Amino acid sequence: MVVQFMEFIESAPNQSLRALSDRVLRKCREVTGAEAGTVFMLRGQGRGRHLEAVSAQNDVIRAKSALFTVPMNQTSIVGYVAATGETLLLDDAYEIPEERPYRFNPAFDQRTGFRTRSIMAFALKGARGRPIGVVQLINRRSMPGEAGPPIFLPYHEQMIAPVNHIVGRALERAATLERLTERNRALTRERRRVAELQAETERAFMVSVNLLARAAEVHDEETGNHILRVNEYSYALAGWAGCSRAFCKEIRFSAALHDVGKMSVDQAVLHKKGRLDERELAEMQRHPIYGHDILIASDRLKMAADIALCHHEQWAGTGYPQGLKGEEIPLAARIVAIADCYDALRSARPYKPSFSHEKTVDILLNGDDRLDPKVHFDPRLLALFSTRHAEFDAIWVALKDQEKIEA
């Protein structure tokens, strides 16, 4: 019998708990001649511990095998077997002696018209020898030539006893695998949900960044797609400089916030036509500090805060607000300084026309009466720009505002 059950279980490995319990129950009924039966598995912990029916079969009636649970206590037949590990052989479920702690629940019989008579219930033992479930077999059939009522006999208990731990361990493994599989599915669902929430958060973050950048332009002369172009120039130049993908991705939105501090500048200064006086110039030159103060509170905007603070610093140390020199200036700010200057030269202003790409490149590389590239810009970045500046022009063309461009 042991070999037979081992071969039976191993003949179909890696089954679900439901499939394996169905096969086990059918085999137990076959060797004992039971008309019906149920396999229960122990579930839960502490006071919530209960027996869950994972397989139910009945050859006599075609009732739906709705699975159910039984509290883990000794007042029920299966609860008693699970708690004690004993095997019960009952000749008639309706004639249990009063001194026994358990009783038969006739609810199923009353609902279906089925008549439960003899019962055999035995515990399934797990890897540690403890009950992990119960098999309840109902109504043994009469065998040809057999005298007396069709009841389960000690012979059936002796036949089943050597295999209940084999069956129990197989079901325990199936239950463990099922729990792990469901846990993995739950983790997969949770990861998917977290990814969705992160995507939603990222979209909301990017919308906020874009709105903040647009708000900075409301009172400024720079309108339209200026911030989008500066983002793309900066992204391209960072890539040419060999920056990491993460750095390039971050500068692609951080660059847009370079002038966010202008929101805090006196609007009369921003709108003034003509040269600024000393006080007004000092106020204008505070916009990098204002921008840094706005952005530094967010960890996600640390690069943006560096750019806002330092994009008017100059390689020679002649910029503002801190007079930083060379590589003291954050790389992201050095990149944006070139990107912002290129777009400013290409864009029309009240005090200047829009310059062509060729003229803009000449000014950035060779200077004019207002700009000295050796003083203003990182020479390594400028050298990269000198060989690939056509990509800046392509960005300008793709994102240019609807305005007349002077040759």
Side-chain angles (χ1 to χ4, degrees):
M1 183 63 67
V2 172
V3 173
Q4 187 182 116
F5 261 87
M6 288 182 68
E7 291 176 346
F8 167 75
I9 290 170
E10 295 300 328
S11 65
N14 301 323
Q15 297 179 89
S16 68
L17 177 62
R18 177 66 182 272
L20 182 58
S21 60
D22 281 346
R23 294 184 73 239
V24 164
L25 182 56
R26 202 166 299 281
K27 187 68 175 177
C28 289
R29 290 176 53 224
E30 176 188 317
V31 299
T32 60
E35 288 180 345
T38 307
V39 176
F40 296 87
M41 294 295 291
L42 273 171
R43 305 291 200 197
Q45 298 291 331
R47 293 183 178 181
R49 202 156 171 76
H50 61 277
L51 287 154
E52 180 183 348
V54 294
S55 178
Q57 298 169 6
N58 194 312
D59 290 344
V60 178
I61 60 173
R62 291 190 174 182
K64 290 184 179 180
S65 58
L67 301 183
F68 54 96
T69 61
V70 176
M72 181 56 188
N73 59 56
Q74 297 189 31
T75 62
S76 67
I77 294 170
V78 293
Y80 178 85
V81 172
T84 63
E86 293 182 22
T87 297
L88 294 182
L89 301 176
L90 304 176
D91 294 350
D92 190 334
Y94 288 85
E95 298 294 336
I96 297 174
E98 288 293 330
E99 64 270 16
R100 300 290 177 87
Y102 49 82
R103 287 290 175 269
F104 172 68
N105 182 354
F108 178 79
D109 287 8
Q110 293 168 356
R111 187 172 68 253
T112 63
F114 181 76
R115 173 60 165 86
T116 300
R117 296 183 302 275
S118 57
I119 291 178
M120 176 178 176
F122 61 91
L124 295 167
K125 304 293 180 66
R128 298 180 180 179
R130 297 174 182 172
I132 55 96
V134 175
V135 174
Q136 180 174 262
L137 303 174
I138 299 173
N139 292 0
R140 181 172 169 266
R141 296 185 181 91
S142 297
M143 296 298 170
E146 187 176 63
I151 60 175
F152 295 98
L153 303 169
Y155 161 74
H156 298 112
E157 178 183 358
Q158 294 164 8
M159 184 171 55
I160 291 294
V163 300
N164 66 5
H165 69 284
I166 296 172
V167 173
R169 290 179 185 182
L171 289 170
E172 186 176 42
R173 286 194 300 272
T176 300
L177 180 61
E178 191 171 87
R179 285 196 300 272
L180 289 174
T181 300
E182 180 53 37
R183 186 176 301 170
N184 287 337
R185 287 175 183 156
L187 286 173
T188 298
R189 290 193 296 270
E190 187 63 24
R191 289 192 190 101
R192 188 179 299 117
R193 179 58 181 155
V194 168
E196 290 171 355
L197 289 172
Q198 287 175 334
E200 291 173 9
T201 301
E202 188 66 15
R203 283 192 293 271
F205 172 76
M206 294 309 300
V207 168
S208 299
V209 167
N210 189 55
L211 291 174
L212 187 58
R214 292 291 183 189
E217 290 187 323
V218 169
H219 300 291
D220 200 4
E221 62 190 14
E222 295 170 348
T223 57
N225 289 336
H226 168 70
I227 59 174
L228 299 180
R229 293 192 298 267
V230 171
N231 277 349
E232 296 306 313
Y233 301 143
S234 301
Y235 178 76
L237 186 50
W240 304 341
C243 298
S244 68
R245 288 184 63 185
F247 183 99
C248 293
K249 181 179 178 182
E250 188 170 359
I251 202 172
R252 198 173 200 170
F253 67 81
S254 296
L257 298 171
H258 62 282
D259 274 339
V260 73
K262 288 185 178 180
M263 290 192 299
S264 299
V265 173
D266 184 342
Q267 301 306 305
V269 174
L270 280 179
H271 288 244
K272 181 178 179 180
K273 304 298 182 182
R275 188 178 297 276
L276 301 178
D277 63 28
E278 187 174 333
R279 182 196 66 79
E280 292 165 340
L281 183 62
E283 170 66 8
M284 179 64 80
Q285 291 185 346
R286 286 190 61 79
H287 82 267
I289 297 172
Y290 296 149
H292 180 268
D293 290 346
I294 290 170
L295 301 172
I296 195 61
S298 169
D299 290 339
R300 286 290 309 277
L301 295 176
K302 186 178 185 309
M303 178 188 285
D306 286 343
I307 291 170
L309 182 63
C310 302
H311 70 288
H312 281 294
E313 300 289 356
Q314 297 177 1
W315 185 256
T318 52
Y320 64 88
Q322 300 178 91
L324 300 180
K325 183 177 182 180
E327 293 189 359
E328 294 175 351
I329 306 168
L331 175 59
R334 284 179 266 152
I335 289 171
V336 172
I338 293 175
D340 189 33
C341 187
Y342 176 89
D343 201 72
L345 291 170
R346 295 297 312 265
S347 302
R349 295 286 185 266
Y351 53 84
K352 63 171 279 296
S354 170
F355 296 148
S356 67
H357 173 69
E358 290 73 21
K359 183 173 182 178
T360 297
V361 171
D362 182 64
I363 293 172
L364 280 172
L365 297 181
N366 302 308
D368 63 4
D369 59 336
R370 299 181 62 184
L371 186 148
D372 182 348
K374 294 179 182 179
V375 170
H376 283 75
F377 304 124
D378 181 336
R380 184 176 77 92
L381 295 177
L382 207 58
L384 292 170
F385 171 80
S386 71
T387 61
R388 304 186 65 167
H389 55 73
E391 294 181 42
F392 271 39
D393 187 42
I395 293 168
W396 167 267
V397 171
L399 296 174
K400 67 181 178 180
D401 302 315
Q402 298 301 311
E403 57 181 274
K404 293 183 68 175
I405 307 299
E406 180 177 292

